[in-house]
Amino acid sequence: MLKHVSFLTRDLPATLAFYTHLGGVIEKNLTTAEGHRRAVVRLGGGLLQFFQIKGETPAPHSHWAEHIALHVPDLRGLLPVLRASGVVVTRDLQPSPSGRDMAFVEDPDGRQVELLQADG
């Protein structure tokens, strides 16, 4: 059973804003004893954990194969909101191999996020 997925981030507030736009709920947002910023976001049934390490800048993650895939309830309505907030769309709305609407966007660290239209 998956507990969480953990990533480095350059800008924790921007990362948290991005994932809350996608329906995430911030469960933790704190500074560790070592002075690093740490946040946990519940997204659906899973957890995403982000660290902003004091004094370090992680490299961008721009290859499409390294990505997070998320079901969203209204992809067609969400894309204009994301664009208006400055999110980069790397693959515009199109049918996925299964026939659902899908698009790829970048999170604030350049990580690819695949957005798929949820059932219903």
Side-chain angles (χ1 to χ4, degrees):
M1 175 188 315
L2 179 67
K3 179 182 176 203
H4 68 266
V5 178
S6 185
F7 295 106
L8 295 176
T9 181
R10 293 183 293 245
D11 184 344
L12 188 59
T15 298
L16 293 177
F18 176 82
Y19 285 98
T20 55
H21 269 306
L22 298 177
V25 175
I26 299 168
E27 292 200 348
K28 291 183 184 176
N29 187 358
L30 53 91
T31 301
T32 67
E34 301 82 15
H36 308 310
R37 296 291 304 147
R38 175 179 174 247
V40 176
V41 177
R42 178 165 300 282
L43 199 58
L47 297 174
L48 298 175
Q49 176 174 251
F50 296 96
F51 284 96
Q52 185 172 343
I53 304 299
K54 189 173 165 182
E56 291 184 25
T57 304
H61 308 275
S62 60
H63 192 278
W64 68 266
E66 182 181 350
H67 68 276
I68 300 167
L70 304 172
H71 285 113
V72 296
D74 179 15
L75 181 54
R76 289 179 183 267
L78 178 61
L79 276 178
V81 172
L82 294 176
R83 278 193 177 100
S85 68
V87 171
V88 175
V89 177
T90 58
R91 194 183 306 177
D92 214 341
L93 192 67
Q94 62 187 275
S96 72
S98 67
R100 294 174 190 239
D101 280 348
M102 73 169 212
F104 274 77
V105 299
E106 288 184 354
D107 80 0
D109 290 299
R111 192 174 294 108
Q112 295 291 307
V113 179
E114 177 183 3
L115 303 176
L116 290 153
Q117 177 61 47
D119 288 334

